[in-house]
DNA sequence: TTGAAAGCGCTACCAT
DNA sequence: ATGGTAGCGCTTTCAA
């Protein structure tokens, strides 16, 4: 450990802690000559201020907690979109003078999670949570710790989140397929502990809206649920196509999309000749599958950056409730879609 | 912020900080009745100890820094293996009572990096670095901050790292292809700022060893360098096959492998009928390509766990230099390899 | 312009 | 078994 403290610097520069501290904090209340001496001392002694002491004094850690729910971490961290978000969050945070503490144990047991939150080691949380413990926001609110979500999580009006317009996303995708003449379309959504997540509800709504424009009645069997992991999804799609022959699939995430693609290829279906595929997710990922997939692209870099910005706003101006940010997704047409057969 | 401090608890329980502290730290030197009262106070007041204060006192932050070099972060964080490693590192660390601080700015400029290191906010570093600043370990050694690498980085004997036996990996892959009758094999390695990384040197050595067993002379053109990003690699492979027709490729990472796979498919080559492919990397990733790829699998979960363990050993027993850990990779045969045409 | 001193929340040593 | 107190390294009044 570098045991050089502010006192060592003061001694070397023939002054006191107070003055050194002023130099460190760019106070104008210090004689240029003294400042010189102090800076020299800092340089010679290779002194750097102890961040922990500063945190204790200021009550701010300049650390942001990035929370992944347990169920997310198992599948989703493998997900190509997540590292991109981690990267954008981390880099934005660092450019603002904050570090990222990665928290992946959330939800394992509630108590440990609570503990972690309450130890004051972070100034706020970015919660990336499909199925975060329900009372999480109560705990956070009670503790007055700022937080932001990557999706609309509760129905509470003053929720802070940065996410995408999934109604629009579902609409865009469905309309595109309908335009191509598809009529037997399945929307495949992830099933998390028996629940359909809010963004999937939105996509379903967008899907219905498009159907309505085409005066096609919605029937329940147009929306199918599958567990989120690769193998389950694979078998789900394979057995679906053993029974039925929809002409187009709307896939709600990267894992399901990959699984569907593989299952269809393995069963001898041709994409897009037999089936058209549209995937929701990280825009670039599906450039690198073969065939490349038409994608409702979610701009994860934008999301990561704004999650940080919004959280910092809440931290710097406690009590403020920044308005949720919602971005329209963009349809990227690639090789996996064509006119209905 | 939860402003409840140890003093509040002491007051509520009609005792002093000292006693509360003893209860918190499970000291036996406290009357059961008093302990009860204190615990009740803690419960009622929803008190949790301030981690920052503890860190200041103890000099330990219970935080581990996970450093990604700038050049890695741009491509490699997108890489499916990296999230797996983050996950395993993070979970192991948490189970040992440590948190992970994600540092992705390393190398942007050396000064900021140095700063970060010196602020004492972490107890040690896990450095995942292809091209970490050369003098990094000098800085760390001078500051007496423990660290571990995910690869053999310097030639120094007492280097701490957890990595894979890449000589064996190169050997396994080459031997397997030679056994299948391949004679025109190219080993494609990433070129990082004009340098071939040590693990690739090892793979080349393993490759040569296998050739030797088959009494095939090694020629330089058997090893080819490509920049690490997806698009460059793609064009590199495409133009290679415009000129030559090797019957087998050894691909040194996930990005290059994906690029090669796509380039070959797009140019109309059949895998494995025209070309056999062997990829180095995260074992599961190449299960999900089509065709799935024969892989020299690197057990990233093992690596992540042991990086944490080794770092904690250095932290808990300063001055100790745990022996490097090296695991033999495993060859997973899948669809991308067959007898030479 | 500078220094002295208090205190952030906690632990640990020394009394009692 | 318990309380008083010093001090971790820093910032920030308040005085000088």
């Amino acid at each position: 450990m570098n045991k050089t403290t502010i006192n060592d610097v003061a001694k070397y520069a023939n002054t006191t802690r107070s003055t050194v501290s002023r130099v460190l904090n760019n106070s104008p209340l210090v004689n240029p000559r003294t400042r010189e001496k102090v800076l020299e001392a800092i340089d010679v002694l290779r002194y750097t201020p102890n961040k922990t002491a500063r945190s204790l004094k200021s009550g701010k850690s300049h650390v942001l907690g990035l929370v992944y729910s347990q169920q997310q971490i198992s599948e989703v961290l493998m997900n190509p979109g997540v590292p991109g978000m981690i990267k954008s969050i981390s880099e934005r945070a660092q450019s603002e003078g904050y570090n990222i503490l990665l928290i992946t144990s959330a939800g394992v047991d509630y108590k440990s999670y609570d503990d972690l939150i309450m130890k004051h080691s972070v100034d706020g949380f970015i919660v990336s949570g499909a199925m975060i413990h329900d009372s999480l926001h109560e705990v956070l609110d009670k503790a007055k710790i700022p937080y932001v979500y990557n999706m609309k999580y509760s129905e509470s009006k003053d929720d802070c989140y940065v996410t995408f317009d999934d109604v629009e996303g579902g609409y865009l995708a469905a309309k595109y397929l309908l335009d191509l003449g598809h009529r037997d379309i399945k929307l495949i959504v992830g099933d998390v502990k028996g629940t359909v997540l809010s963004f999937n509800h939105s996509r379903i709504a967008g899907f219905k809206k498009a159907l309505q424009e085409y005066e096609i009645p919605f029937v329940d069997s147009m929306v199918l649920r599958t567990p989120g992991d690769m193998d389950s999804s694979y078998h789900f799609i394979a057995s679906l196509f053993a029974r039925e022959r929809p002409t187009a699939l709307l896939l709600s995430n990267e894992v399901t999309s990959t699984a569907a693609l593989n299952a269809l290829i393995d069963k001898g279906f041709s994409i897009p000749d037999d089936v058209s595929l549209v995937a929701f997710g990280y825009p670039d990922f599906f450039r690198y599958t073969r065939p490349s997939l038409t994608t409702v692209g979610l701009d994860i870099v934008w999301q990561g950056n704004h999650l940080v910005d919004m959280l910092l706003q809440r931290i710097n101006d406690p009590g403020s409730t920044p308005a949720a940010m919602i971005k329209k997704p963009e349809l990227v047409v690639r090789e996996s879609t064509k006119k209905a057969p």
Side-chain angles (χ1 to χ4, degrees), chain A residues 77-111:
Chain A
L77 200 54
M78 300 307 184
N79 195 312
V82 173
M85 200 169 94
I86 290 183
K87 176 170 143 68
S88 70
I89 287 175
S90 161
E91 291 185 350
R92 177 58 139 255
Q94 280 170 204
S95 79
E96 301 288 336
Y98 283 77
N99 282 119
I100 293 297
L101 198 72
L102 202 58
I103 301 163
T104 57
S105 70
V108 182
D109 74 290
Y110 179 61
K111 179 64 186 146

Side-chain angles (χ1 to χ4, degrees), chain A residues 67-88:
Chain A
V67 182
Y68 282 93
S69 67
Q70 183 60 18
Q71 149 275 327
Q72 266 211 307
I73 203 80
S74 51
E75 267 300 318
V76 181
L77 200 54
M78 300 307 184
N79 195 312
V82 173
M85 200 169 94
I86 290 183
K87 176 170 143 68
S88 70

Side-chain angles (χ1 to χ4, degrees), chain A residues 289-304:
Chain A
T289 56
R290 286 297 177 273
S292 60
L293 302 192
T294 294
T295 300
V296 178
L298 310 178
D299 185 346
I300 263 169
V301 172
W302 170 87
Q303 188 181 33

Side-chain angles (χ1 to χ4, degrees), chain A residues 196-243:
Chain A
V196 173
L197 298 174
S198 72
F199 59 82
N200 276 328
H201 279 300
S202 302
R203 288 171 187 168
I204 294 170
F207 181 51
K208 287 180 179 172
K209 185 178 148 201
L211 287 174
Q212 220 157 18
E213 286 186 7
Y214 275 76
E215 296 178 349
I216 297 172
F218 172 81
V219 287
D220 286 344
S221 66
M222 287 175 172
V223 177
L224 266 22
R225 300 181 182 195
T226 171
D229 67 282
M230 188 75 80
D231 292 333
S232 305
S233 298
Y234 181 95
H235 291 299
F236 180 85
I237 300 291
S239 69
L240 170 67
F241 277 79
R243 298 190 311 268

Side-chain angles (χ1 to χ4, degrees), chain A residues 23-36:
Chain A
V23 172
L24 289 172
N25 296 289
N26 295 315
S27 163
L29 303 168
V30 51
N31 186 306
R33 273 176 40 82
T34 319
R35 162 167 278 123
E36 275 317 305

Side-chain angles (χ1 to χ4, degrees), chain A residues 252-319:
Chain A
S252 76
N253 64 56
E254 286 89 348
V255 174
T256 306
S257 301
T258 304
L261 186 60
N262 289 345
L264 292 170
I265 291 174
D266 294 349
K267 294 296 173 191
F269 292 96
S270 163
I271 299 162
D273 294 327
D274 299 326
V275 195
S276 283
L277 257 38
V278 177
F280 290 85
Y282 183 57
D284 274 359
F285 180 62
F286 298 111
R287 264 184 70 194
Y288 303 122
T289 56
R290 286 297 177 273
S292 60
L293 302 192
T294 294
T295 300
V296 178
L298 310 178
D299 185 346
I300 263 169
V301 172
W302 170 87
Q303 188 181 33
N305 288 340
H306 284 284
L307 280 167
V308 173
D309 291 346
M310 186 177 285
L311 180 55
L312 290 181
Q313 188 187 331
R314 287 196 74 178
I315 287 172
N316 295 327
D317 180 7

